[in-house]
Amino acid sequence: ETGVTQSPTHLIKTRGQQVTLRCSSQSGHNTVSWYQQALGQGPQFIFQYYREEENGRGNFPPRFSGLQFPNYSSELNVNALELDDSALYLCASSLDSGRQETQYFGPGTRLLVL
Amino acid sequence: AQSVTQLGSHVSVSEGALVLLRCNYSSSVPPYLFWYVQYPNQGLQLLLKYTSAATLVKGINGFEAEFKKSETSFHLTKPSAHMSDAAEYFCAVTRTGTASKLTFGTGTRLQVTL
């Protein structure tokens, strides 16, 4: 069974640019959540996708957007990058969207904005 | 709104000593609580979760946690620390609503010394 994978592992961008991060969910999982983890902090919830529809959003501006595809893989897009967007971006998949479901995390994409 | 507080950003124990990592929650409804571990440059791995079944929850790698409603606590323990336990530990709670958003604490870095 393949776990959650993310690409790329590292990325360097400059302020104002746009970035797309990718996530492949664990086999059989229909729910994907994205988190931002700044250095020395706990992860912060960005949004969740369930069966290709956004299913909840955290306190992030609209320039953070996402997609979930029919195979349940997902993308996180960030427009107009700011220095504070530098962080580890984590994707997590779960069997379903219920609050008791375990979320399985990928290794993350480390984004540096210069 | 649900939240968790982790007391102690750094904990140092000797190898073989008891590990105690503290987590207190705030929730207006019965919470679902999770402990995750993060090794350097990796994603998060689930240690254990509480979903209103048994109050004493056993997890992987010899860790366990006890849900105490009267103290609003969910502390993580391990009887005997091993060098390989050195990592960052996060307590998390899921919020109510349609999305299984995880709200994380700020984390506790566990150091294990010889």
Side-chain angles (χ1 to χ4, degrees):
Chain A
E1 183 179 278
T2 305
V4 179
T5 59
Q6 294 186 242
S7 62
T9 56
H10 294 80
L11 204 51
I12 300 175
K13 292 285 187 179
T14 56
R15 194 170 48 182
Q17 285 188 311
Q18 178 266 342
V19 68
T20 297
L21 310 181
R22 295 178 175 82
C23 171
S24 291
S25 58
Q26 193 162 317
S27 177
H29 289 189
N30 60 23
T31 302
V32 173
S33 303
W34 285 91
Y35 294 82
Q36 179 195 66
Q37 185 179 19
L39 200 62
Q41 301 293 320
Q44 298 288 318
F45 176 74
I46 303 175
F47 46 58
Q48 181 183 87
Y49 279 82
Y50 169 66
R51 295 182 182 271
E52 303 180 60
E53 297 288 331
E54 188 176 291
N55 185 41
R57 188 178 182 92
N59 189 26
F60 281 80
R63 59 190 185 84
F64 285 78
S65 63
L67 280 174
Q68 187 180 31
F69 301 99
N71 66 355
Y72 301 133
S73 65
S74 177
E75 285 183 355
L76 164 65
N77 298 288
V78 187
N79 293 321
L81 283 167
E82 300 177 359
L83 298 179
D84 285 348
D85 296 333
S86 295
L88 180 68
Y89 288 85
L90 296 163
C91 165
S93 73
S94 53
L95 268 174
D96 210 332
S97 63
R99 60 193 283 253
Q100 78 284 358
E101 293 291 340
T102 297
Q103 296 188 30
Y104 295 88
F105 284 80
T109 293
R110 190 165 295 282
L111 172 65
L112 178 60
V113 182
L114 302 175
Chain B
Q2 285 78 18
S3 65
V4 290
T5 301
Q6 292 184 243
L7 296 176
S9 58
H10 289 84
V11 171
S12 181
V13 300
S14 301
E15 191 174 34
L18 171 71
V19 175
L20 171 60
L21 304 181
R22 299 178 187 274
C23 173
N24 288 90
Y25 69 88
S26 172
S27 176
S28 56
V29 298
Y32 288 172
L33 293 158
F34 302 77
W35 275 100
Y36 281 87
V37 61
Q38 186 175 34
Y39 297 101
N41 301 312
Q42 294 188 26
L44 281 75
Q45 180 183 10
L46 180 72
L47 283 174
L48 48 81
K49 68 177 182 180
Y50 167 76
T51 57
S52 73
T55 56
L56 182 62
V57 182
K58 294 187 182 298
I60 63 171
N61 301 338
F63 285 94
E64 63 181 37
E66 186 172 7
F67 174 74
K68 292 187 176 181
K69 184 178 179 180
S70 60
E71 299 177 8
T72 61
S73 69
F74 190 58
H75 301 332
L76 182 70
T77 61
K78 182 174 180 178
S80 177
H82 191 273
M83 295 296 288
S84 61
D85 295 327
E88 187 91 20
Y89 291 81
F90 292 96
C91 180
V93 63
T94 48
R95 58 172 286 178
T96 55
T98 57
S100 52
K101 161 191 170 181
L102 283 167
T103 299
F104 286 87
T106 51
T108 297
R109 182 166 297 279
L110 176 65
Q111 181 182 19
V112 182
T113 59
L114 288 172

